[in-house]
Amino acid sequence: MKSTEKILLGHGSGGTLSHELISNVFVKYFANDVLNRQTDSAILTMEGGHLAFTTDSYVVDPIFFQGGNIGKLAVCGTVNDLAVSGAIPKYLSCGFIIEEGFALSDLEIIVKTMADEARNAGVMIVTGDTKIVNKGKCDKIFINTAGVGVLDVSRKNISYGTGIRPGDKIIVNGTIGDHGIAILAARESLSFQAEIQSDCAALNQLIEACFSVSPNIRFMRDATRGGIATVLCELAENRNVGITIDENKLPVKDMVKGTCEVFGFDPLYLANEGKVVMVVGAGDAALVLNEMKKHPLGKDAVIIGEITNAYPAKVLMHTEVGGRRIVDMLAGEMLPRIC
Amino acid sequence: MKSTEKILLGHGSGGTLSHELISNVFVKYFANDVLNRQTDSAILTMEGGHLAFTTDSYVVDPIFFQGGNIGKLAVCGTVNDLAVSGAIPKYLSCGFIIEEGFALSDLEIIVKTMADEARNAGVMIVTGDTKIVNKGKCDKIFINTAGVGVLDVSRKNISYGTGIRPGDKIIVNGTIGDHGIAILAARESLSFQAEIQSDCAALNQLIEACFSVSPNIRFMRDATRGGIATVLCELAENRNVGITIDENKLPVKDMVKGTCEVFGFDPLYLANEGKVVMVVGAGDAALVLNEMKKHPLGKDAVIIGEITNAYPAKVLMHTEVGGRRIVDMLAGEMLPRIC
């Protein structure tokens, strides 16, 4: 950008400054045949069948943290919502709400990250919108992404989990709570903040690798706000099945565990931005686990538990000290603005 | 909502309060077969072909105004972006960013309005997201909607305007600037605020009525931020054609004209939220105009000008006093947070 180094209200006017911002930042990085035409709606060509459609807004604070920034979250989060429904993510929209006075150089870093992540995940950012609000009327920048993916008919029940049955194994692709603690560390300027990275990543390629070895993936959900506890509680309740997990199988980094003890958090409820909870037919569980472990985003994958007949609609955890406890839904809020 | 009358941070946690908010507000009003399943991604069945995909965030201030509220804008704006591309709007997502302490009763009014508008426009709200930010970190409520529509192959170039040619007529479906002045009046508590209503409306049914009488609709754009001037300037520039309009044909309410004179605004640049600029083959212009006039949203429709060979990439206005002036893109910002 030539004329200014800060975002001005005029950048949201729809007039000349808006055009300048679109050309010099958004189109510069997101450039693709669809977006470049700059029509109100992106025009896409799709085959008929099932589509997945999802949206998330990102309001994370701080906007830059170890392992990512708000733009990386906004792309990966929506890609993951599509991928866990069994869809191949294809197209993203993005809506920016920016505070007057925001540094254009920071916007450029965020937009470049989004472009890089979209390219890596194999999705196109095809349409967008920018609104500028007066100084003090939002906190730096909020980003919404919506996504469209193509869903093979054989996978159309995965997001509902209607195919799960007792004995199915529950797999997580790596350590839990990293994102939550990375944000906490950045926010509180904790001394170890350089050592713990957010796990923010697009999981669609890992998930496709799993599909390539097994037709018996019966449910997936990415464990974001509310952590894996929330995913498991919702699944148990919605499908009226029991779930048992083993605390000593849960992959938690020592640094995360230690910080949880200090702050009184439970890793089960901490946010993740690159973790999928996958329910797989027992016969294929080892195969899928093995495939996951080959992928950089799945090298710490483990089977953490299984679906049971006992205790319908409940999640039961065998604790490290040999007891058992019910895992409940999160009440209240552990860490606001985590994503 | 039983437990509380204000939005709490916990409503954005992904835990029990989030579930309560989703069930008691969003699902209550938006209820439909797709949304009710509450999966991360909505699963849609579509025929193959062209799709239109668009997004807009809404940050209007104030959130309630004569003729609508932020929720009505969020549905109508995205429906209109799809409709002007020639698509039949089908599905919307919505992402809410809400300030801690926001009144739940206000949220309910907004959500109910969105549900009503979606029903009237024939679209389904199928997926959503809610983020809560600490008090003071956003201004009451921001809403993003993304939309998916089905686009017949015969209409796939309408949003580009590649079919326009000299002699084509330019039609607007009614008075311009009403939304801009309604927001200004509400914001400044002007004495006449009850008398001027925003034109906020979903235009898809009006537009389909026009298609039913003519295959020669060659370009459409809804004139929102930046007004009809911005739409015409972009079209002239992108297609390298000249455009002439007649100032004395421009439909402007006396109250809007008067307020513009007082505040130094130009109705050409004022925002509209229910106005389409339509370019129609000369032979069909009277037919389309007549069809528009039969519709409540088009009763004040007029032909305001035409596409010409002269002055490529420029918009020329014959003024009321008999002169001519170039209409330029909006520089700076007339009214921030107009939508």
Side-chain angles (χ1 to χ4, degrees), chain A residues 175-183 198-199 223-228 256 266-275 330 334-335 337-339, chain B residues 13:
Chain A
T175 56
I176 60 173
D178 299 4
H179 178 72
I181 296 301
I183 295 297
S198 166
D199 60 344
T224 56
R225 280 186 290 187
I228 66 165
V256 170
D266 183 338
L268 276 178
Y269 296 92
L270 280 180
N272 310 276
E273 290 292 339
K275 290 301 165 331
L330 177 66
M334 282 207 315
L335 285 168
R337 296 183 60 191
I338 198 71
C339 59
Chain B
S13 66

Side-chain angles (χ1 to χ4, degrees), chain B residues 119-132:
Chain B
R119 199 175 308 110
N120 292 341
V123 298
M124 280 165 74
I125 295 171
V126 292
T127 189
D129 173 59
T130 306
K131 293 293 183 325
I132 315 296

Side-chain angles (χ1 to χ4, degrees), chain A residues 66-130:
Chain A
Q66 288 293 323
N69 62 44
I70 189 170
K72 185 173 178 182
L73 271 189
V75 170
C76 296
T78 294
V79 163
N80 290 347
D81 278 349
L82 293 171
V84 297
S85 74
I88 314 278
K90 290 283 185 188
Y91 302 107
L92 298 187
S93 66
C94 57
F96 293 87
I97 299 174
I98 310 175
E99 187 181 10
E100 181 189 15
F102 189 69
L104 265 166
S105 54
D106 282 347
L107 180 63
E108 236 180 302
I109 293 169
I110 290 165
V111 169
K112 183 177 183 311
T113 307
M114 293 177 77
D116 291 344
E117 286 302 319
R119 199 175 306 112
N120 291 342
V123 297
M124 278 165 75
I125 295 171
V126 291
T127 189
D129 173 60
T130 307

